[in-house]
Amino acid sequence: MIIRWRRQQDYFIVRLYQDLMGDWVLSESWGNTLNNRGSVNHTIFHCYHEARGQLREISRKQKSLGFKKTVSKEQQIELDFG
């Protein structure tokens, strides 16, 4: 799952995916398109519902900061490794 928010030149992107060990990874990327500065953070969750809860908190925070969700044209393919 990929969710993007924008506020003028500022962006915030969250990716939620399951790694090969079965853990859920919440990757947060943020920055500004004008100065090419940004950062990234990865948080590991053992439970999908905990990760989704954190994602809801992030969504509330971005909305309160004036960010708007943008439509993503990306399509993810699920692979079955197991």
Side-chain angles (χ1 to χ4, degrees):
M1 171 186 311
I2 300 172
I3 303 174
R4 300 170 188 264
W5 291 272
R6 288 192 71 98
R7 180 183 64 192
Q8 297 175 348
Q9 289 77 27
D10 296 325
Y11 65 87
F12 194 91
I13 302 168
V14 173
R15 294 171 185 87
L16 177 60
Y17 59 93
Q18 193 171 25
D19 66 12
L20 294 176
M21 301 302 292
D23 292 324
W24 288 92
V25 181
L26 186 70
S27 296
E28 303 168 70
S29 307
W30 60 89
N32 183 291
T33 58
L34 292 180
N35 61 20
N36 288 330
R37 290 189 180 175
S39 193
V40 66
N41 182 55
H42 304 286
T43 307
I44 307 295
F45 295 91
H46 300 291
C47 171
Y48 174 75
H49 297 292
E50 289 177 8
R52 288 291 299 193
Q54 182 64 28
L55 185 55
R56 281 189 290 278
E57 288 298 317
I58 290 169
S59 187
R60 279 193 277 271
K61 181 178 178 184
Q62 294 310 309
K63 187 176 179 179
S64 74
L65 293 172
F67 281 78
K68 305 272 187 215
K69 280 187 185 178
T70 62
V71 177
S72 176
K73 303 269 184 203
E74 297 178 34
Q75 185 176 15
Q76 294 193 347
I77 301 170
E78 280 197 40
L79 303 173
D80 183 10
F81 293 102

